[in-house]
Amino acid sequence: MNLLSQSNLLKPLKKSSHLALLWIIALVLLGFTFASCLNEMVRVWLKKEEYSHGFFIPAISLYLLWIRRWELKFVEAFRASMPGLVIVIAGMIVFILGGLATLKTVEQYAFIITVTGMFAMTFGMKGVRVGAVPLLFLLFMVPFPDFILSNLSAKLQLFSSWLGVEFIRACGIMVYLEGNVIDLGGYKLQVVDACSGLRYLFPLASLSFLCAYLFKGPVWQKSLIFLSSALLTILMNSFRIGVIGVLVDNWGTEMAEGFVHDFEGWAVFMLCMALLFLEMWLFARLSGKNTAWTELVLIPREWTGCAIKENPQIIVNPSFFVLLLLLSSTATASHFIREREGIIPARKPFLSFPLQIGKWQGRNDYLTQFYLNELKFTDYLIINYTQPDSASTINLYSAYYQSQRTGVSVHSPKGCMPADGWKVTEFGQRELPNIKLYGKPLEVNRAVILKGDNKQLVYYWFQQRSRALTNEYLVKWYLFYDAIALNRTDGSLVRLVTSVEKSEDEEKADQRLQAFMNELLPVMSAYLPG
C-alpha cells in the first residue's frame, strides 16, 4: 500500500475542536486577504443610497443556504474537492490582478469567486448546485464601477424626465423639457443623479431576484418577475417625477424638497414592492392555482411541521490544508501589493497653460464647486479662444487625473451633452490624417449638437499613457492593463467645441477646429504626459 495513502494528512478531520480552529484560521486569513476591498464595499454601502441594501445581501444568502441545509453533504475525498480548489485558485489570481491594477470591483468579484470555491471544496459540486442561487445572489452586493453608474444614471435621468414631463402634460399643465431640466414657467426642476431611479433599481432588482428564486412557478414566470424590476423602476420613478412636477406647479418648490420629497421616494419604492408581489399573485392565478401565500414561496421545513433528518456530520477534508496555504500566500502577496505605489509622471500644471496659441487669444473660465466635487480630477483647464479677425470661438476643456486607482476616472462628454439639454444630431469617429499624435493620425469622437437655434461641433478624445482613444470601454481596458504592466493609471480627456453659425457649413467648422489643433497639440504635450 502506498505510504502517502496511509498518511494522516490525507484523512478527513472530524474532531470538533480541530474543525473550529481550522475554520477560524481560514476565515481570519480570508478577511485579512480581502480586507481592503471589503472595507471599500462597505464604504459605498454607507455613502450611496442605491447600495444601502448591500448589508442585507450576505445575511439573505446565508438564510437561503440554511433553509436548504438538509440537501448539503460534506465531502471527505480529496478528489471530490478538487473543482472547488480550482475555483479558489481562479479567485486568487483574479484578486492579485485586481490588486495590481488597484480595481476594487475586480477584487470584490474575486472575493465572491473565492467564497464559491471554498463552498465547493466543502460540499462538492453537488452542493454548489444546491447553493448556486444563494451564491449568485452575492453579486448584488458588489457596487458597479463609477463610469458604468454615471452612464446608466445619465440615461435614466433623460428617460425618466421625458416620461415625467408627458405625465405632467397629461394633467393639463404647460411644461418644457430641456435635457433633464423641467421648466414649469415659474419653477425649474432639475432631475439630478439622486432622482435617476438607481436608488430604486438596485434594491428592487435584488428583491425581484429573491422573489423569483423563492416563487414556485415555471422558469419563464421567474424570469419575468426578475426582469420586470427594471420596467417597474423606470415607470414608477417617472411617475414620481411627474407627481412632483404637478405638486410644485400647484403648491410651490417646497413639494420637491425636504421631508415631502423623501417621503415620496419611500412611497414609490413601497408601491414598486406591492406591484412586484401583485405580479407574483397574478402569475399564480393565471396558472389556475388558488394558492396560499405560504405555498407560493420556499419556507423552512421546520415551519411546516415536516420531519427533519439529523444534521450531516461535519467534516474537513485534506484539501482544507491546501486552502490555508493558498490563503496565507495570497494574504502575504496582498500586503506587498497594497504597499505598491503607482508611478506619477512629471508634467506642467494647467495653471501655466498659455493663453496665446498662434493667432488665437484665450480667456480662462472655471467650473463651480459642484462639478469639481463630482469630477474629482487632479487638474483641469477651460479656455475660450478667439481670433482678432473672427467672431468664432473655440472652447478648450481638458481634465487630467494623475491616478485613477481609487474609483475616480475620466468622464465621457457623451453622457453630459444630452443632460445639459443638447440634442446629439450626429455622432461618430473621424480620423484626422494631417494631425499626428504619438506618431499616428489622431482619431477623435465627432459630434454635432443642437439646442434651440444653437448648433455646435464637438471633438473629444481620451489621451492616456501615449495613446489617443475614442472608446471609453477601451480606455478602461488599457487602464487595467497599464496599471499592471506600467504601474501607471494617469489619464486625461481633451474636448474642443466651436459654434456653427446658421449660414456656416459644418466642414468650415471642422477646418477651424483642425487648424487650431495643429497649433495646440505641440503645446499640450508638456501638460499631458505620454
Side-chain angles (χ1 to χ4, degrees):
M1 185 178 292
N2 192 309
L3 290 175
L4 188 62
S5 64
Q6 295 178 338
S7 171
N8 287 332
L9 289 176
L10 294 183
K11 295 179 180 179
L13 289 177
K14 301 180 181 181
K15 193 173 180 180
S16 59
S17 58
H18 294 166
L19 296 177
L21 179 61
L22 286 175
W23 275 109
I24 289 172
I25 294 173
L27 293 176
V28 168
L29 287 173
L30 183 71
F32 180 79
T33 302
F34 292 93
S36 178
C37 67
L38 294 179
N39 285 337
E40 176 65 19
M41 187 160 57
V42 172
R43 186 191 68 80
V44 173
W45 294 349
L46 291 169
K47 183 180 178 182
K48 297 186 177 181
E49 290 189 19
E50 53 264 41
Y51 280 109
S52 57
H53 66 287
F55 291 99
F56 300 101
I57 301 296
I60 294 172
S61 290
L62 285 173
Y63 169 77
L64 295 177
L65 290 172
W66 180 75
I67 62 177
R68 298 191 64 182
R69 66 192 183 280
W70 314 111
E71 303 173 52
L72 299 174
K73 183 180 179 181
F74 288 83
V75 296
E76 298 187 31
F78 184 87
R79 181 177 297 178
S81 66
M82 281 299 292
L85 195 57
V86 171
I87 296 173
V88 168
I89 293 172
M92 299 296 185
I93 292 173
V94 172
F95 170 73
I96 290 173
L97 291 175
L100 289 171
T102 323
L103 296 176
K104 295 301 180 186
T105 302
V106 175
E107 294 182 13
Q108 289 156 6
Y109 284 124
F111 172 75
I112 295 176
I113 295 171
T114 304
V115 169
T116 302
M118 292 175 65
F119 188 87
M121 289 176 64
T122 305
F123 299 106
M125 295 310 293
K126 290 183 179 179
V128 171
R129 284 191 285 273
V130 173
V133 173
L135 292 169
L136 188 64
F137 189 62
L138 291 174
L139 294 174
F140 286 98
M141 73 181 184
V142 179
F144 282 162
D146 281 344
F147 83 99
I148 293 180
L149 281 179
S150 298
N151 289 340
L152 185 59
S153 178
K155 289 180 173 59
L156 284 176
Q157 283 179 54
L158 292 172
F159 193 67
S160 298
S161 300
W162 173 73
L163 282 179
V165 164
E166 292 302 315
F167 175 82
I168 296 172
R169 286 172 179 160
C171 295
I173 299 173
M174 294 293 294
V175 62
Y176 177 71
L177 178 65
E178 186 177 90
N180 59 355
V181 177
I182 299 174
D183 190 346
L184 293 163
Y187 306 101
K188 286 188 177 182
L189 302 176
Q190 185 175 10
V191 181
V192 296
D193 287 346
C195 298
S196 66
L198 287 182
R199 61 174 58 181
Y200 305 140
L201 179 59
F202 295 139
L204 196 66
S206 305
L207 178 63
S208 64
F209 182 89
L210 180 62
C211 289
Y213 171 63
L214 297 175
F215 183 74
K216 293 180 178 178
V219 174
W220 71 268
Q221 290 184 352
K222 290 173 175 283
S223 300
L224 285 177
I225 290 171
F226 173 59
L227 295 175
S228 64
S229 61
L231 182 60
L232 280 175
T233 298
I234 294 171
L235 292 178
M236 296 310 299
N237 187 56
S238 302
F239 172 72
R240 178 197 178 199
I241 292 171
V243 169
I244 289 175
V246 172
L247 293 176
V248 167
D249 186 69
N250 286 279
W251 290 286
T253 55
E254 293 81 6
M255 296 293 102
E257 300 170 351
F259 171 78
V260 175
H261 181 271
D262 293 337
F263 176 76
E264 289 165 346
W266 275 105
V268 167
F269 182 71
M270 297 303 292
L271 184 56
C272 286
M273 288 180 59
L275 290 173
L276 189 64
F277 294 140
L278 176 62
E279 182 183 2
M280 294 170 66
W281 179 81
L282 287 174
F283 277 141
R285 289 287 183 177
L286 288 173
S287 61
K289 299 177 182 177
N290 188 12
T291 313
W293 273 105
T294 54
E295 297 176 1
L296 278 177
V297 297
L298 294 170
I299 57 176
R301 295 172 62 182
E302 305 91 290
W303 297 1
T304 63
C306 296
I308 300 173
K309 64 180 181 180
E310 295 181 358
N311 287 324
Q313 185 180 16
I314 298 175
I315 296 168
V316 167
N317 67 69
S319 65
F320 204 84
F321 296 101
V322 181
L323 171 67
L324 294 179
L325 179 62
L326 285 172
L327 287 172
S328 300
S329 303
T330 310
T332 304
S334 69
H335 172 72
F336 290 105
I337 289 172
R338 284 195 292 267
E339 296 295 323
R340 184 173 181 250
E341 293 185 3
I343 296 173
I344 299 175
R347 58 176 287 272
K348 287 184 178 180
F350 281 140
L351 186 64
S352 63
F353 198 85
L355 295 178
Q356 182 78 36
I357 296 182
K359 295 182 180 180
W360 295 86
Q361 182 62 44
R363 179 175 54 83
N364 283 310
D365 200 352
Y366 303 96
L367 293 173
T368 64
Q369 190 61 45
F370 171 80
Y371 290 106
L372 296 177
N373 294 338
E374 288 294 313
L375 297 173
K376 300 176 183 177
F377 37 60
T378 306
D379 197 3
Y380 83 101
L381 66 83
I382 303 179
I383 304 178
N384 294 304
Y385 285 96
T386 57
Q387 285 184 317
D389 57 346
S390 173
S392 299
T393 301
I394 292 179
N395 174 266
L396 167 63
Y397 166 76
S398 183
Y400 174 76
Y401 295 77
Q402 70 178 16
S403 174
Q404 299 178 76
R405 293 180 179 272
T406 57
V408 298
S409 60
V410 176
H411 287 243
S412 173
K414 192 175 181 180
C416 300
M417 291 183 293
D420 289 336
W422 290 93
K423 181 181 179 182
V424 181
T425 59
E426 292 181 39
F427 185 84
Q429 288 72 46
R430 175 174 289 192
E431 186 176 277
L432 310 177
N434 297 324
I435 301 177
K436 300 291 181 67
L437 185 62
Y438 305 125
K440 299 178 181 179
L442 176 63
E443 184 180 49
V444 299
N445 286 307
R446 179 185 183 276
V448 178
I449 58 178
L450 196 66
K451 182 197 285 188
D453 294 330
N454 297 321
K455 186 178 183 181
Q456 293 185 340
L457 176 65
V458 181
Y459 282 4
Y460 74 89
W461 67 93
F462 304 96
Q463 196 163 321
Q464 315 232 351
R465 305 170 300 282
S466 300
R467 298 185 191 91
L469 304 170
T470 57
N471 186 300
E472 58 188 289
Y473 294 98
L474 197 58
V475 168
K476 300 304 175 184
W477 160 249
Y478 279 118
L479 176 63
F480 176 76
Y481 176 82
D482 290 344
I484 297 172
L486 306 177
N487 198 21
R488 283 180 56 185
T489 60
D490 54 290
S492 60
L493 166 75
V494 182
R495 188 202 67 195
L496 298 165
V497 182
T498 187
S499 295
V500 182
E501 303 302 326
K502 289 183 179 180
S503 58
E504 186 179 22
D505 185 67
E506 287 181 16
E507 188 59 35
K508 187 177 179 181
D510 278 300
Q511 292 172 5
R512 180 165 60 250
L513 283 183
Q514 292 171 30
F516 177 75
M517 289 167 63
N518 265 321
E519 298 184 270
L520 171 70
L521 292 185
V523 178
M524 289 286 286
S525 61
Y527 298 87
L528 301 179

